[in-house]
Amino acid sequence: MEEFIRASVAHFETLLREQLKRQETMEKGAAKRDYRQAEHITIGIIGGDGIGPIIVSEARRVLERLLKEEIASGRVELRDIEGLTLENRLARGKAVPEEVLAAIKGCDVLLKGPTTTPKGGTLESANVTLRRELDLYANVRPVTVPEEGIDWIFFRENTEGEYALGSRGIELPGKLSMDFKVTTDAGTRRIARAAFEYARQNGKDNVAIVTKANIMKKTDGAFSRIAHEVAADYPEIHCDDWYIDIMTANLVNPAVRSQYQVFLLPNLYGDIITDEAAQIQGGVGTAGSANMGDSYAMFEAIHGSAPRKIEAGEGDYANPASILKASELLLRHIAMADKADRLAEALRICMEEEKRVVVTGHRDGATCREFADYLLEKL
Ligand code: IPM
Ligand code: MG
């Protein structure tokens, strides 16, 4: 027992020193990449696991069409990145093997299919590793239900909270387990800035700060306090504190939910509530996710790799809508708003107006390929 305590204290010291170093780097800040000026943009394409390669290959076809001229002129390159598969990651004992990470860092932005994370064990989620390695601090997830007036956008902090050290907790088998949650001022400031800046630039006048600061007094307390400090620079935007439990209830309450616009949340609450929000929109298969930092950005579906769908032989029936929404976010990020709008409009026609080819995720619906063919007609 004494030995366990000593080892745990030493482990905690290591974590603390690392986190303090990380916060020092963040405090210095970094310049944001401006794609309007970019002469060359490399889009890395990663299939991932399970249904990932199926949905990503359809998104790739759509990007090829939309970026036809830019690809032909050499301004844009679509580059396939191999090796981010569960088999390779397990064989190498690495969430993201070095050469894969190097290939990823050679790109500007990524379109990534879902990757499988084994439960338990020590292999970290590839997503969590990439978000940390590429410092993708803003996880931005739009959700809309036009007929209900719902137009939400979630700004989820993406590098801290329970995720930062989620694979590095301590455990005394049979007796106790402990994980750590980290919130830094600089980490909170940059995601809060992103949310309020978005609100200002997009004519939104309301930001909901969602925490559980009544219970997680240090970490969520700091998150809320820093968010309000940032809010002071945006006096035209109203902001309120909400607790995550009541906010999850409010999102399923049709009488109040359409009043929310922009949400600002720590990592884990943002993870959970965005699945709820996506379900309200029509299912997790319908929502896209942007992971953005100052240098890199990665775009993906918000759902997982659905291994059960593959086992059931229904992989080809996976819904590509989420990765197509992610592709739209990617195009917007690289300053190609006109192409993003074209994709958004084609998706709207296919999914809301005509609904001629409907993907249900099962054999009773259309295949992923059939939906992509239909969408390509509308581009
Ligand atoms: C998400 C996913 C990830 C997360 C998983 C795949 C690690 O659920 O992007 O929301 O927990 O953040
Ligand atoms: Mg999630």
Side-chain angles (χ1 to χ4, degrees):
M1 179 74 81
E2 285 307 313
E3 181 43 36
F4 168 73
I5 295 174
R6 258 192 305 277
S8 300
V9 170
H11 178 59
F12 183 66
E13 180 174 348
T14 307
L15 299 182
L16 193 55
R17 287 187 189 282
E18 281 176 19
Q19 291 303 308
L20 285 168
K21 207 176 220 162
R22 189 175 66 84
Q23 86 83 34
E24 233 171 67
T25 314
M26 267 186 299
E27 254 179 4
K28 290 190 196 116
K32 250 205 171 79
R33 175 108 202 248
D34 181 356
Y35 284 96
R36 281 169 306 186
Q37 320 296 338
E39 280 169 20
H40 185 81
I41 303 171
T42 305
I43 303 176
I45 312 258
I46 301 177
D49 301 309
I51 60 167
I54 299 168
I55 58 174
V56 168
S57 69
E58 299 308 324
R60 192 188 208 287
R61 285 170 69 214
V62 170
L63 284 179
E64 275 167 8
R65 169 76 64 83
L66 282 165
L67 296 166
K68 195 161 178 253
E69 282 159 30
E70 289 75 7
I71 292 171
S73 75
R75 179 162 183 249
V76 171
E77 177 190 346
L78 301 186
R79 186 185 293 174
D80 291 306
I81 295 184
E82 310 292 335
L84 198 70
T85 58
L86 184 60
E87 297 74 29
N88 193 34
R89 285 150 55 221
L90 283 173
R92 301 285 305 279
K94 284 242 158 197
V96 182
E98 296 89 354
E99 71 283 6
V100 180
L101 185 59
I104 285 173
K105 286 188 169 170
C107 302
D108 299 297
V109 293
L110 299 169
L111 185 70
K112 177 189 159 294
T115 39
T116 306
T117 308
K119 202 166 143 196
T122 51
L123 191 72
E124 190 175 50
S125 138
N127 272 39
V128 174
T129 307
L130 286 174
R131 289 168 185 170
R132 183 181 59 243
E133 294 292 332
L134 306 176
D135 203 19
L136 308 175
Y137 60 86
N139 192 322
V140 182
R141 298 179 163 177
V143 165
T144 60
V145 185
E147 60 277 22
E148 243 204 80
I150 291 177
D151 187 5
W152 296 330
I153 188 154
F154 295 83
F155 281 76
R156 160 187 175 190
E157 200 293 318
N158 212 26
T159 50
E160 308 204 324
E162 289 84 350
Y163 281 71
L165 299 171
S167 303
R168 300 175 69 192
I170 55 170
E171 176 175 37
L172 185 55
K175 300 210 182 294
L176 159 154
S177 308
M178 209 182 236
D179 282 320
F180 304 102
K181 170 165 174 167
V182 190
T183 298
T184 64
D185 287 20
T188 306
R189 206 165 280 125
R190 61 187 187 173
I191 184 70
R193 183 76 55 204
F196 281 97
E197 243 348 275
Y198 175 90
R200 173 171 284 172
Q201 281 165 24
N202 291 276
K204 308 284 178 194
D205 57 13
N206 194 297
V207 174
I209 302 164
V210 187
T211 67
K212 189 76 185 173
N214 50 341
I215 302 299
M216 301 307 293
K217 291 182 189 282
K218 290 282 181 280
T219 48
D220 286 0
F223 192 95
S224 168
R225 177 171 47 78
I226 304 282
H228 281 282
E229 276 174 32
V230 172
D233 291 339
Y234 301 81
E236 78 279 17
I237 298 168
H238 178 79
C239 75
D240 274 322
D241 275 301
W242 295 89
Y243 292 136
I244 182 66
D245 46 356
I246 190 63
M247 187 53 96
T248 58
N250 287 350
L251 292 200
V252 287
N253 180 353
V256 299
R257 63 187 179 189
S258 63
Q259 68 182 268
Y260 301 110
Q261 299 175 347
V262 179
F263 298 80
L264 169 60
L265 330 83
N267 208 342
L268 185 59
Y269 310 137
D271 173 48
I272 296 166
I273 208 168
T274 51
D275 269 17
E276 185 195 14
Q279 194 59 42
I280 292 166
Q281 175 178 263
V284 291
T286 67
S289 169
N291 298 263
M292 298 187 283
D294 293 322
S295 313
Y296 296 101
M298 174 170 89
F299 299 82
E300 55 184 358
I302 77 161
H303 57 74
S305 54
R308 271 174 294 209
K309 203 172 275 306
I310 299 289
E311 278 161 29
E314 289 188 323
D316 289 340
Y317 297 85
N319 193 346
S322 53
I323 200 79
L324 291 167
K325 293 267 175 70
S327 308
E328 177 201 329
L329 296 169
L330 183 153
L331 291 165
R332 240 175 257 295
H333 182 76
I334 58 173
M336 296 194 181
D338 51 335
K339 295 184 197 296
D341 290 343
R342 265 176 70 195
L343 178 52
E345 178 57 9
L347 278 166
R348 191 192 64 74
I349 295 172
C350 295
M351 295 178 69
E352 287 164 30
E353 197 179 301
E354 291 185 0
K355 297 184 187 165
R356 196 158 52 71
V357 177
V358 177
V359 179
T360 62
H362 301 286
R363 279 196 184 78
D364 61 351
T367 63
C368 180
R369 163 62 57 103
E370 284 162 351
F371 181 82
D373 286 341
Y374 174 42
L375 183 93
L376 284 167
E377 276 173 31
K378 305 292 166 189
L379 274 180

